[in-house]
Amino acid sequence: MRMRFDILTLFPNMFSSPLRESILGKAIERGLIQIQTINIRDFTLDKHQVVDDTPYGGGQGMVMKVEPVARAIESVKAQNSPVWTIYLTPQGTPFNQDLARRLSTQPHLILLCGRYEGVDERVKDLFVDEEISIGDYVLTGGELAAMVLVDAVSRFIPGVLGSDRSAVEDSFFNSLLEYPQYTRPFDFKGRCVPEVLLSGNHSAISLWRRKEALRRTWVRRPDLLEKANLSGEDRKLLEEIRKSNDDCGLGNADCAAGSSTRDKS
Ligand code: 4GX
């Protein structure tokens, strides 16, 4: 069951490259997701294709007119199938991984991208099911926010990340930040890979990774630790972290000696 995204925008060209490269590009090729852009300007009826107008009551800027947006949304809905309509706005519900997962269960989303001072309020009253914000900052339009949403939601569609991976296993999903990752070379400008990762001792590696994930979360995002599902072992590791004067795993004390022999190449 492929998931469909219809993106309503005044700038459809913005979407051509970002959503068609790499993982999402392959997901489209394989028919797992379908992304269509619809130019709201194509739904104007006047000669000059006007999509905005001055606000009633006065004030700065322009407001997107209700009729072209309404006609664009109705043209998508006319192809029947149930659809959930989202408006991207700083006034919306904060977007997060849980919301991305919930939206991934919808078969068809309409993403409405506002420009200027936003859309006429009656668009939201009559056509929008949910308002979503990707964060507390102001963009020049909803397009980048829509791309963020499509990307994060698509990762939950089975097969999009490939058969051996799923977004459900991501550690953010379990409320912890990720542990540090390394690849070759072993020694880069005197900064070495932690020895435990070369030990071949899988239980020691797992323990180290869990501890570094906990350490990072404790240092950078203590708010996530409150919500995390911590085991007794996790609490013990956190106690060690609190007691130690470690510097987030960035210490590289034993780097110099014999490093070249440790390169896997
Ligand atoms: N998360 N923007 C919407 C137009 C606008 C202006 C005022 C309503 C009121 C954004 C965000 C975001 C910029 C999209 C302004 N709409 N969207 N646009 N942050 O900043 O989603």
Side-chain angles (χ1 to χ4, degrees):
M1 257 291 287
R2 85 157 68 159
M3 180 161 181
R4 183 173 156 195
F5 299 90
D6 279 303
I7 301 166
L8 275 52
T9 171
L10 292 172
F11 300 98
N13 290 339
M14 284 181 72
F15 294 86
S16 43
S17 168
L19 298 177
R20 277 168 175 78
E21 295 282 351
S22 184
I23 290 172
L24 292 193
K26 283 202 194 77
I28 293 168
E29 274 175 32
R30 288 159 56 209
L32 298 170
I33 56 174
Q34 184 190 6
I35 304 171
Q36 278 193 325
T37 54
I38 291 161
N39 192 337
I40 296 165
R41 202 175 294 278
D42 291 344
F43 292 84
T44 53
L45 301 177
D46 60 307
K47 178 166 145 225
H48 294 105
Q49 300 197 293
V50 174
V51 292
D52 59 343
D53 203 344
T54 53
Y56 271 114
Q60 275 206 336
M62 300 294 271
V63 176
M64 281 171 71
K65 291 168 68 60
V66 62
E67 302 101 311
V69 173
R71 275 193 290 270
I73 291 175
E74 279 164 347
S75 81
V76 175
K77 288 187 174 172
Q79 304 156 39
N80 49 66
S81 92
V83 56
W84 188 251
T85 303
I86 293 166
Y87 180 58
L88 287 312
T89 168
Q91 271 96 176
T93 307
F95 189 58
N96 63 21
Q97 191 75 341
D98 284 339
L99 184 44
R101 185 181 10 75
R102 164 162 76 72
L103 293 175
S104 75
T105 65
Q106 292 281 342
H108 186 183
L109 297 180
I110 291 177
L111 304 177
L112 175 60
C113 306
R115 284 267 152 182
Y116 321 118
E117 307 307 312
V119 294
D120 187 304
E121 191 66 18
R122 291 166 293 185
V123 169
K124 299 184 230 165
D125 296 342
L126 294 171
F127 300 103
V128 171
D129 298 305
E130 186 167 19
E131 295 180 42
I132 294 177
S133 166
I134 66 156
D136 291 338
Y137 39 76
V138 183
L139 304 168
T140 55
E143 285 78 8
L144 286 166
M147 289 185 224
V148 166
L149 187 148
V150 169
D151 189 291
V153 169
S154 295
R155 296 178 76 260
F156 281 101
I157 309 291
V160 166
L161 294 183
S163 50
D164 57 329
R165 272 205 70 202
S166 93
V168 182
E169 285 154 25
D170 285 351
S171 90
F172 198 88
F173 198 79
N174 306 315
S175 295
L176 287 189
L177 300 184
E178 301 263 356
Y179 53 78
Q181 296 275 21
Y182 298 89
T183 186
R184 287 177 284 182
F186 172 77
D187 181 344
F188 180 71
K189 298 184 192 288
R191 307 296 300 239
C192 288
V193 176
E195 290 282 355
V196 63
L197 299 177
L198 290 82
S199 68
N201 181 341
H202 297 295
S203 65
I205 290 170
S206 293
L207 191 66
W208 181 86
R209 286 180 164 167
R210 187 72 184 171
K211 187 171 182 179
E212 294 313 309
L214 286 163
R215 186 196 312 279
R216 250 189 196 179
T217 311
W218 181 66
V219 170
R220 300 183 189 185
R221 292 293 304 277
D223 59 304
L224 293 178
L225 275 184
E226 325 258 281
K227 292 173 235 149
N229 212 334
L230 298 180
S231 68
E233 169 132 285
D234 290 334
R235 289 175 201 290
K236 203 191 84 198
L237 289 171
L238 270 172
E239 203 42 49
E240 290 173 23
I241 291 164
R242 288 199 183 94
K243 277 193 199 136
S244 74
N245 285 325
D246 277 9
D247 54 1
C248 306
L250 293 174
N252 283 278
D254 301 320
C255 199
S259 58
S260 64
T261 60
R262 294 193 193 90
D263 271 326
K264 287 183 285 174
S265 60

